[in-house]
């Protein structure tokens, strides 16, 4: 498998074999890390980490993974750089590509990261856009594989806002890997028809099933994985909360939903999550709308079924695999 020099912008650009290769490579790196085996095979290289939106997991995962591989990192935060304001994306990326061996970008439209890749002579990695979150998908797939021992045939139900980065990407991941994806939500929040058609087309050759339900009980029956994300994403106006709560309250992940999914089911979430009142936004939503929990109850989040912290750790091992595969000459 040769991914040297390739960008990592969205899973749609990769074959199922390439995605599975990256998942296996992540597992190898995870084992090395746990055993304390040094793997600084990219010593002497440097990567730029551009974040136009905030981050805990993705930023830390890129930094730790790069350092483990022996690389240097430069973090550009949402306010310190000239990007977009004083210097175009195309100019910025040509400057950075002259100094760095790889560039991570987290920000707004997918088109921005695609433009970066077009102008960059070094690999560009998507650390989240409005439309896709592909590094999250590798971590999710590794976590599911570790838990169930397989990916093919696993039934993943996504509840909530399925038309944003995480929901879109999970549908693509399931289509590529022959999984069963069900979006369970108010139909206003289903992915775009264009992306659904693309995924259904991919599913024809992988054996995946892609379906939709507006009924939380019917839709989650027998699911292996129940997955959710926050209801209002980064970059969306705060004024969205009122309507989102009205539309998505029936799709909160509760104990009833997990019991309905069945005994062997697990709960996943890309995080951060509003499952209690220990966050600023959680408290604001409580004050304005009276909710103690938003997309998932604290009971489910803290239950034995919840594998969210294993999932979060896997962000680092999988991002390491992406950087290694695209920067290491075969
Ligand atoms: N899941 C995820 O991308 O987390 P951060 O926003 O903290 O990077
Ligand atoms: N949908 C969320 C994902 C965060 C990792 C957001 O874009 O804010």
């Amino acid at each position: 498998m040769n991914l040297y020099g390739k960008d990592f912008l969205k899973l749609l650009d990769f074959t199922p074999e390439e995605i599975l290769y990256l998942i296996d490579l992540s597992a190898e790196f995870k084992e090395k890390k746990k055993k304390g085996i040094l793997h600084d095979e990219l010593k002497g290289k440097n990567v730029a980490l551009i974040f136009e939106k905030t981050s805990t997991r993705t930023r830390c995962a890129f930094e730790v993974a790069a350092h483990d591989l022996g690389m240097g990192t430069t973090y550009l935060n949402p306010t310190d750089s000239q990007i977009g304001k004083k210097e175009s994306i195309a100019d910025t990326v040509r400057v950075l590509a002259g100094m760095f061996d790889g560039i991570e970008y987290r920000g707004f439209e997918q088109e921005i990261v695609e433009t970066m890749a077009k102008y960059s002579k070094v690999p560009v990695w998507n650390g989240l856009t409005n439309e896709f979150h592909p590094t999250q998908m590798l971590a999710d797939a590794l976590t599911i594989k570790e838990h169930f021992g397989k990916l093919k045939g696993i039934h993943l139900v996504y509840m909530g806002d399925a038309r944003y980065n995480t929901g879109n990407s999970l549908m693509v991941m399931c289509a590529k890997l022959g999984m069963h994806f069900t979006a369970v939500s108010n139909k206003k929040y289903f992915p775009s028809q264009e992306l659904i058609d693309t995924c259904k087309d991919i599913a024809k050759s992988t054996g995946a099933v892609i379906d939709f339900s507006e009924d939380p009980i019917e839709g989650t029956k027998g699911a292996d994985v129940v997955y959710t994300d926050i209801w209002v994403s980064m970059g969306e106006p705060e004024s969205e909360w009122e309507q989102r709560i009205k539309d998505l309250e029936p799709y909160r992940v509760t104990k009833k939903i997990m019991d309905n999914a069945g005994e062997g089911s697990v709960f996943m979430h890309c995080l951060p999550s509003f499952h209690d009142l220990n966050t600023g936004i959680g408290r604001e939503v409580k004050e304005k709308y009276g909710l103690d929990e938003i997309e998932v109850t604290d009971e489910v989040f803290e239950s034995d079924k919840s594998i969210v912290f294993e999932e979060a750790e896997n962000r680092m091992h999988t991002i390491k695999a992406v950087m290694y595969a695209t920067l290491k000459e075969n």
Side-chain angles (χ1 to χ4, degrees):
M1 194 64 66
N2 187 3
L3 299 179
Y4 175 67
K6 242 189 127 144
D7 302 305
F8 191 75
L9 306 180
K10 54 188 184 302
L11 287 192
L12 286 171
D13 301 335
F14 290 82
T15 64
E17 294 70 30
E18 287 169 336
I19 298 168
L20 292 170
Y21 164 75
L22 287 170
I23 296 164
D24 289 345
L25 185 61
S26 310
E28 280 173 36
F29 275 126
K30 185 170 182 176
E31 204 184 326
K32 280 189 185 156
K33 177 88 177 174
K34 301 279 172 201
K35 288 187 174 153
I37 301 169
L38 263 188
H39 44 280
D40 53 351
E41 292 167 47
L42 296 178
K43 226 191 262 170
K45 294 190 188 291
N46 291 287
V47 296
L49 309 175
I50 306 172
F51 283 81
E52 295 206 280
K53 288 176 179 169
T54 53
S55 168
T56 297
R57 276 146 292 273
T58 310
R59 176 187 174 180
C60 295
F62 268 100
E63 292 207 15
V64 173
H67 298 158
D68 282 354
L69 290 169
M71 298 195 286
T73 54
T74 298
Y75 169 69
L76 293 154
N77 76 18
T79 48
D80 280 357
S81 71
Q82 319 275 29
I83 301 166
K85 296 175 280 285
K86 278 170 69 182
E87 194 162 28
S88 70
I89 299 295
D91 291 357
T92 306
V93 85
R94 283 177 288 181
V95 170
L96 296 179
M99 301 183 194
F100 293 94
D101 300 283
I103 300 167
E104 179 275 352
Y105 173 80
R106 162 173 287 200
F108 298 88
E109 291 78 24
Q110 180 71 16
E111 205 187 317
I112 299 174
V113 83
E114 302 276 349
T115 304
M116 284 192 154
K118 189 172 146 205
Y119 284 95
S120 175
K121 62 179 188 208
V122 302
V124 173
W125 309 299
N126 177 0
L128 176 146
T129 58
N130 295 346
E131 292 86 349
F132 294 113
H133 196 3
T135 61
Q136 179 73 49
M137 295 306 109
L138 295 181
D140 295 345
L142 175 63
T143 312
I144 293 168
K145 195 171 175 199
E146 285 173 342
H147 190 87
F148 292 99
K150 62 173 189 173
L151 288 158
K152 222 177 171 58
I154 292 293
H155 186 193
L156 184 147
V157 172
Y158 182 88
M159 291 188 90
D161 182 7
R163 38 107 258 167
Y164 222 70
N165 40 29
T166 306
N168 284 342
S169 302
L170 285 167
M171 182 169 72
V172 176
M173 174 185 95
C174 290
K176 290 271 179 182
L177 301 181
M179 298 168 68
H180 179 177
F181 174 85
T182 309
V184 177
S185 192
N186 176 312
K187 63 175 179 305
K188 272 161 76 176
Y189 300 90
F190 289 164
S192 71
Q193 196 54 49
E194 192 188 347
L195 189 61
I196 293 173
D197 292 344
T198 303
C199 288
K200 285 197 167 168
D201 208 41
I202 296 167
K204 282 181 203 152
S205 61
T206 62
V209 177
I210 309 290
D211 56 23
F212 303 89
S213 173
E214 286 196 281
D215 181 333
I217 292 301
E218 183 198 83
T220 53
K221 186 99 211 129
D224 296 305
V225 179
V226 179
Y227 196 124
T228 192
D229 183 11
I230 53 172
W231 290 348
V232 177
S233 285
M234 288 186 279
E236 292 197 288
E238 245 179 72
S239 55
E240 290 289 331
W241 273 109
E242 191 174 348
Q243 191 60 44
R244 284 298 152 84
I245 289 171
K246 277 191 200 138
D247 292 336
L248 296 178
E249 260 216 278
Y251 304 98
R252 173 178 299 125
V253 182
T254 59
K255 183 168 184 301
K256 185 175 165 198
I257 293 292
M258 295 309 298
D259 288 347
N260 181 57
E263 222 171 277
S265 62
V266 294
F267 170 71
M268 293 180 73
H269 191 310
C270 56
L271 306 183
S273 164
F274 302 126
H275 56 93
D276 59 21
L277 297 175
N278 295 326
T279 64
I281 293 180
R283 285 190 292 270
E284 270 171 42
V285 168
K286 162 80 174 167
E287 218 168 274
K288 280 196 190 150
Y289 309 104
L291 301 186
D292 287 319
E293 305 153 314
I294 308 181
E295 73 277 2
V296 55
T297 62
D298 198 47
E299 185 183 19
V300 169
F301 189 90
E302 297 293 354
S303 72
D304 290 346
K305 285 184 172 289
S306 174
I307 55 171
V308 297
F309 295 110
E310 288 90 326
E311 182 184 2
E313 180 193 320
N314 283 339
R315 298 297 310 286
M316 198 281 284
H317 306 298
T318 44
I319 280 173
K320 190 181 284 176
V322 171
M323 289 196 287
Y324 181 86
T326 54
L327 293 182
K328 180 82 181 170
E329 218 164 337
N330 280 7

